[in-house]
Amino acid sequence: NAGVTQTPKFQVLKTGQSMTLQCAQDMNHNSMYWYRQDPGMGLRLIYYSASEGTTDKGEVPNGYNVSRLNKREFSLRLESAAPSQTSVYFCASSTWTGGTQQETQYFGPGTRLLVL
Amino acid sequence: RKEVEQDPGPFNVPEGATVAFNCTYSNSASQSFFWYRQDCRKEPKLLMSVYSSGNEDGRFTAQLNRASQYISLLIRDSKLSDSATYLCVVKSQIGGFKTIFGAGTRLFVKA
């Protein structure tokens, strides 16, 4: 049982390049999330998907796009990378289906991205 | 003011010590509260949920104070393996559901 997997683990981009971060979960979770983590800032939500076929903006969506390809996979795309997007990106999933129920978010190992 | 605030630390304590962290939140409508643990260069993992009546899991005790809008985490008999960053997480419903992570409190437990 792999849980949440992310690829790649590390990436270096030049300003203006594009790339897609991949995320997959094998826990049959409805909800998936993309966060970025910067020093002193905590994790900030970029986009989330509460179910297959739906996506919603989080706190910091500018410069990113997402695709919920199917229930398992949720990708994050940087169309034109900027140095401000240098960060550690975490994908997560949970059983949340909306509402106030408690949920545990399970995180992938992260992707470290450096934009020069 | 940040929606979720934590003392960044670091807290440096000897093995066997008791240490407590607080976390304040600004949204009085917040509904769910959690503590996550994050080891250096690793992903966050759920440590425990925080219930209104308070809850305990082994050496860890979590409390919620809605009147003062803070949650706390108490670690008794600290172990070297407790060294990590502890993230406070608050979930609220305002125009949709928001899960906000605090920036974390770093703990170092020394031999």
Side-chain angles (χ1 to χ4, degrees):
Chain A
N1 190 337
V4 181
T5 58
Q6 291 182 235
T7 56
K9 285 186 169 54
F10 304 96
Q11 185 71 47
V12 179
L13 293 178
K14 294 181 180 177
T15 296
Q17 287 185 315
S18 62
M19 77 163 295
T20 300
L21 282 65
Q22 306 287 352
C23 174
Q25 52 92 8
D26 62 3
M27 296 175 282
N28 200 37
H29 285 167
N30 292 307
S31 295
M32 297 186 74
Y33 312 82
W34 276 106
Y35 292 90
R36 60 178 289 173
Q37 187 174 36
D38 302 293
M41 300 286 289
L43 283 91
R44 290 182 292 168
L45 184 64
I46 303 171
Y47 272 93
Y48 68 100
S49 169
S51 62
E52 186 179 349
T54 67
T55 61
D56 287 287
K57 293 179 180 179
E59 183 184 355
V60 288
N62 291 345
Y64 305 94
N65 286 300
V66 290
S67 294
R68 183 74 182 269
L69 304 169
N70 47 56
K71 193 170 185 180
R72 289 188 64 248
E73 298 172 289
F74 189 37
S75 62
L76 178 72
R77 183 161 178 83
L78 287 70
E79 290 290 352
S80 179
S84 61
Q85 294 177 304
T86 293
S87 188
V88 181
Y89 291 85
F90 287 102
C91 176
S93 71
S94 79
T95 56
W96 187 63
T97 55
T100 59
Q101 77 270 30
Q102 291 275 2
E103 56 155 334
T104 299
Q105 292 194 17
Y106 295 86
F107 286 82
T111 294
R112 297 181 185 280
L113 176 66
L114 173 62
V115 183
L116 301 174
Chain B
R1 182 185 173 190
K2 290 182 182 178
E3 292 190 64
V4 176
E5 292 202 70
Q6 296 183 250
D7 180 345
F11 285 64
N12 293 290
V13 303
E15 271 187 295
T18 296
V19 61
F21 312 131
N22 280 345
C23 165
T24 59
Y25 59 95
S26 60
N27 180 2
S28 60
S30 297
Q31 294 160 332
S32 304
F33 308 88
F34 311 86
W35 284 103
Y36 277 70
R37 170 194 169 126
Q38 185 173 24
D39 293 301
C40 188
R41 302 179 73 82
K42 298 285 190 180
E43 71 272 22
K45 293 182 179 179
L46 179 70
L47 178 65
M48 57 197 305
S49 300
V50 186
Y51 300 112
S52 297
S53 55
N55 47 300
E56 189 174 303
D57 183 2
R59 298 181 293 108
F60 299 85
T61 300
Q63 298 276 358
L64 167 63
N65 186 318
R66 284 194 181 273
S68 300
Q69 294 183 205
Y70 74 86
I71 66 172
S72 63
L73 178 67
L74 181 78
I75 305 176
R76 289 181 299 279
D77 189 22
S78 298
K79 310 292 185 191
L80 295 176
S81 58
D82 293 335
S83 297
T85 298
Y86 292 84
L87 308 176
C88 168
V89 182
V90 176
K91 189 171 177 181
S92 310
Q93 181 182 14
I94 298 183
F97 285 91
K98 294 174 58 177
T99 299
I100 306 294
F101 282 75
T105 297
R106 296 182 69 188
L107 172 66
F108 293 103
V109 181
K110 305 167 295 184

